[in-house]
């Protein structure tokens, strides 16, 4: 009797096992999301908008680090090993990506440089004899802060996702078109918000803003940090104070990812106001997406310039 019961149970288990395999296996493979790794959260936001539930995306940086001084974590290597696509900004920004990719040893991985085709602004060294701005061999890499360049980057992401996962091409194309429309709308609103601001000259903390400034007709009269992770010299600070006083500059644009000590010192010395913006989505409350971040930065900057 016991043996019979055992036999029945075994058969039942066998049927269940077989059934579960035949039901879940094909479904699981058809629904397996495209595995994507990005360097910066701004790229994650775009991948998610285009891919929705068809992608699984990991951003190596969170939005709280400086994009220049980042060094990869062990978990980054694991993520890159499992990915089909890796999106980077490029233009000399993520200098740590090539060794990370090499160490991951993922032969199937496709690395996509999203700034491809965007004409880079060539930084000029600070006029006060400081070291050359950043380590940009090719030009300033902060292209994503210009919505026009952002549209190009979104298109590169979309194209790469469509070729990596053609089954969802129609979906990706539709989502891309909708996103580009939303981007154009937010840019239009930003232009309108900044259009009537009369005082348009600022000092910036690090050279992240040339593309944004060009797009919205903001003048950058000086830069605090001429090297990522470095400290400005007393000579450089003195020169900045002179510029702020001479040109009656009222706003210092800082970033949440950077130390606020030097902007605070300049503000104390000159009476200029500090406005803290973010170059990466998620850096400040209310900046979770690229469009939220653009909206936030424009609004904060406009308010600071108007309060002068
Ligand atoms: Zn930067």
């Amino acid at each position: 009797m016991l043996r019979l019961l055992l036999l029945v149970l075994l058969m039942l288990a066998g049927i269940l096992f077989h059934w579960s395999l035949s039901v879940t296996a094909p479904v699981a493979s058809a629904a397996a999301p495209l595995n994507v790794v990005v360097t910066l959260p701004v790229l994650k936001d775009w991948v998610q908008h285009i891919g929705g539930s068809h992608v699984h995306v990991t951003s190596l940086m969170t939005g709280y680090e400086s994009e220049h001084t980042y060094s990869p974590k062990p978990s980054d290597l694991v993520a890159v090993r499992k990915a089909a696509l890796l999106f980077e900004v490029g233009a000399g920004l993520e200098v740590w990506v090539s060794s990370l990719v090499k160490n991951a040893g993922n032969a199937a991985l496709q690395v996509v440089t999203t700034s491809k085709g965007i004409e880079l602004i060539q930084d000029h060294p600070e006029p006060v004899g400081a070291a050359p701005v950043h380590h940009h061999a090719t030009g300033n890499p902060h292209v994503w802060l210009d919505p026009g360049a952002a549209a190009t980057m979104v298109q590169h992401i979309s194209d790469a996702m469509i070729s990596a996962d053609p089954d969802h091409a129609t979906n990706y194309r539709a989502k891309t078109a909708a996103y580009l429309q939303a981007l154009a709308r937010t840019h239009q609103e930003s232009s309108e918000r900044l259009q009537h601001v009369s005082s348009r000259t600022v000092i910036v903390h690090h050279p992240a803003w040339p593309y944004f400034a060009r797009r919205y007709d903001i003048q950058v009269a000086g830069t605090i940090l001429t090297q990522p992770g470095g400290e400005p010299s007393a000579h450089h600070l003195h020169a900045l104070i002179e510029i702020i006083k001479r040109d009656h500059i009222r706003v210092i644009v800082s970033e949440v990812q950077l130390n606020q000590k030097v902007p605070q010192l300049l503000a104390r010395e000159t009476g200029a106001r500090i406005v803290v913006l973010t170059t990466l989505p998620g850096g400040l409350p209310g900046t979770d997406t690229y469009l939220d971040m653009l909206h936030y930065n424009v609004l904060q900057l406009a308010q600071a310039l108007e309060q002068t």
Side-chain angles (χ1 to χ4, degrees):
M1 184 62 199
L2 200 67
R3 282 183 64 179
L4 187 68
L5 190 69
L6 203 66
L7 194 68
V8 169
L9 276 174
L10 275 175
M11 278 172 66
L12 206 63
I15 288 165
L16 276 173
F17 181 64
H18 189 78
W19 178 79
S20 75
L21 267 188
S22 62
V23 169
T24 57
V27 172
S29 76
L34 185 65
N35 231 326
V36 178
V37 164
V38 302
T39 53
L40 269 64
V42 63
L43 302 171
K44 178 178 178 173
D45 179 40
W46 290 333
V47 170
Q48 276 175 333
H49 265 99
I50 298 164
S53 60
H54 301 308
V55 293
H56 177 263
V57 55
T58 306
S59 177
L60 304 182
M61 289 177 55
T62 60
Y64 299 110
E65 309 98 336
S66 160
E67 67 272 18
H68 301 284
T69 51
Y70 184 73
S71 64
K73 311 177 288 291
S75 61
D76 294 348
L77 198 68
V78 177
V80 173
R81 205 164 273 160
K82 289 190 291 190
L85 288 171
L86 188 155
F87 292 112
E88 62 166 7
V89 172
L93 182 70
E94 308 101 320
V95 286
W96 40 272
V97 162
S98 55
S99 65
L100 182 67
V101 167
K102 211 173 128 201
N103 290 336
N106 175 354
L109 180 74
Q110 200 197 336
V111 179
V112 179
T113 302
T114 57
S115 65
K116 199 177 61 188
I118 296 168
E119 202 181 318
L120 301 180
I121 292 175
Q122 301 301 317
D123 285 317
H124 299 291
E126 290 294 302
V128 287
V133 173
H134 273 196
H135 47 267
H136 311 142
T138 50
N140 189 301
H142 305 89
V143 287
W144 68 93
L145 293 167
D146 168 16
T152 303
M153 298 170 85
V154 167
Q155 195 60 59
H156 284 317
I157 291 172
S158 177
D159 291 347
M161 281 169 55
I162 288 166
S163 73
D165 181 22
D167 286 356
H168 298 111
T170 311
N171 195 278
Y172 294 155
R173 281 202 187 92
K175 294 268 185 62
T176 304
Y179 185 80
L180 290 176
Q181 275 187 8
L183 176 62
R185 243 187 343 262
T186 305
H187 166 53
Q188 181 63 32
E189 287 164 12
S190 302
S191 297
E192 284 164 13
R193 182 64 188 86
L194 282 166
Q195 188 172 301
H196 300 294
V197 174
S198 54
S199 159
R200 314 185 73 91
T201 307
V202 298
I203 296 288
V204 299
H205 198 159
H206 104 281
W209 305 96
Y211 298 91
F212 176 91
R214 185 175 63 182
R215 179 63 65 181
Y216 294 109
D217 194 22
I218 299 294
Q219 276 76 49
V220 178
T223 304
I224 295 171
L225 287 180
T226 51
Q227 280 181 310
E231 289 273 324
S233 66
H235 180 63
H236 183 59
L237 288 182
H238 186 73
L240 283 176
I241 290 167
E242 289 301 304
I243 291 169
I244 293 169
K245 286 181 175 168
R246 186 194 67 203
D247 296 348
H248 307 289
I249 295 165
R250 307 307 300 147
V251 173
I252 299 166
V253 173
S254 187
E255 293 154 48
V256 68
Q257 291 86 1
L258 303 174
N259 191 316
Q260 306 305 323
K261 262 203 330 238
V262 177
Q264 280 161 1
L265 177 121
L266 288 181
R268 269 201 311 276
E269 289 291 323
T270 63
R273 179 187 304 278
I274 299 169
V275 59
V276 179
L277 307 182
T278 179
T279 54
L280 300 173
L284 286 164
T287 66
D288 286 343
T289 68
Y290 177 81
L291 297 184
D292 289 344
M293 177 184 81
L294 179 59
H295 184 74
Y296 180 93
N297 284 343
V298 164
L299 210 67
Q300 295 296 314
L301 180 62
Q303 281 171 0
L305 288 167
E306 281 168 350
Q307 277 171 22
T308 61

